[in-house]
Amino acid sequence: NAGVTQTPKFQVLKTGQSMTLQCAQDMNHEYMSWYRQDPGMGLRLIHYSVGAGITDQGEVPNGYNVSRSTTEDFPLRLLSAAPSQTSVYFCASRTNRGSAYEQYFGPGTRLTVT
Amino acid sequence: AQSVAQPEDQVNVAEGNPLTVKCTYSVSGNPYLFWYVQYPNRGLQFLLKYITGDNLVKGSYGFEAEFNKSQTSFHLKKPSALVSDSALYFCAGRVYNFNKFYFGSGTKLNVKP
């Protein structure tokens, strides 16, 4: 299993540009989520999904869109990048079955908006 | 409001000494609590979890954590620290049947030889 994969690993955008961060998992997990990590602030939840076709907002959803058309993929779209979106972005997934409630994280995407 | 707090930005310990990384929670209902470790330029790795049952839970790499309901704490411990334990540690919590995880701000553990 590859686990949770994210592309790209690094990205530099200019203010106002749009882009999509890709996330995929091969563990057949129902739940997927996006976090951003900023120094001294831990991880903050952006959006999450409990299954294909179902998404919901987290703590900091503004400026980001998501969709979940398949179980495997959960892309995060930045509509019009702003310097405040400079951060490291992590995708995570977990199963809803049994007691394995822990999340599995991808390696992250480091995004810089100039 | 639901939250998880890590009161220490950094913990310094000598190799071979016991270590403790602190976590307190404010999660209504019965909390599910987790510890993760992050090495430089890597994603978070799961260490251990408390769901129910024994208050002392054991996890990967010799780590353990003690759930204390009266003190609303879930401190991470290890009897003998290794230099390779140096990393960023995150505590996280959620309430059963809710889909949002709440992460602490992280504690940087420095283990000196």
Side-chain angles (χ1 to χ4, degrees):
Chain A
N1 283 354
V4 180
T5 57
Q6 293 182 237
T7 56
K9 291 186 177 178
F10 302 95
Q11 184 70 49
V12 179
L13 290 179
K14 295 186 188 303
T15 297
Q17 288 184 316
S18 63
M19 78 159 295
T20 299
L21 278 63
Q22 301 291 344
C23 174
Q25 52 91 10
D26 61 359
M27 297 173 282
N28 202 29
H29 285 171
E30 298 87 351
Y31 178 95
M32 296 185 73
S33 56
W34 277 102
Y35 294 87
R36 57 178 289 172
Q37 182 181 22
D38 301 294
M41 301 187 73
L43 276 73
R44 292 182 292 170
L45 182 65
I46 304 172
H47 285 285
Y48 66 96
S49 168
V50 298
I54 306 170
T55 63
D56 204 348
Q57 296 181 350
E59 300 174 72
V60 288
N62 292 341
Y64 307 96
N65 271 3
V66 292
S67 60
R68 184 99 178 267
S69 56
T70 67
T71 298
E72 294 78 19
D73 301 298
F74 190 44
L76 178 72
R77 282 181 288 277
L78 280 70
L79 306 174
S80 178
S84 61
Q85 294 179 304
T86 293
S87 186
V88 182
Y89 291 84
F90 289 101
C91 180
S93 74
R94 68 172 174 84
T95 181
N96 284 338
R97 300 181 294 272
S99 63
Y101 299 106
E102 63 271 19
Q103 295 190 89
Y104 295 84
F105 285 81
T109 295
R110 187 174 295 272
L111 176 67
T112 302
V113 183
T114 61
Chain B
Q2 321 278 7
S3 67
V4 171
Q6 293 178 244
E8 301 158 318
D9 291 336
Q10 186 166 300
V11 169
N12 299 312
V13 65
E15 188 175 31
N17 283 0
L19 70 88
T20 298
V21 183
K22 295 180 180 178
C23 172
T24 59
Y25 66 90
S26 174
V27 176
S28 59
N30 292 322
Y32 293 172
L33 299 165
F34 306 83
W35 276 102
Y36 289 85
V37 59
Q38 184 181 33
Y39 297 100
N41 301 313
R42 302 287 295 276
L44 277 70
Q45 296 178 31
F46 169 74
L47 276 180
L48 52 79
K49 65 185 175 186
Y50 171 82
I51 304 299
T52 187
D54 289 341
N55 290 340
L56 185 65
V57 293
K58 296 186 184 296
S60 307
Y61 313 121
F63 284 94
E64 57 188 29
E66 185 170 10
F67 173 69
N68 188 319
K69 189 171 185 177
S70 62
Q71 297 185 4
T72 61
S73 66
F74 188 56
H75 300 332
L76 181 70
K77 300 181 180 184
K78 188 173 183 181
S80 179
L82 300 173
V83 172
S84 57
D85 292 331
S86 298
L88 189 57
Y89 290 81
F90 289 98
C91 183
R94 69 176 276 245
V95 181
Y96 172 71
N97 215 28
F98 285 83
N99 289 303
K100 295 183 181 180
F101 280 72
Y102 300 91
F103 280 83
S105 55
T107 299
K108 185 177 181 183
L109 174 66
N110 295 315
V111 182
K112 298 188 188 298

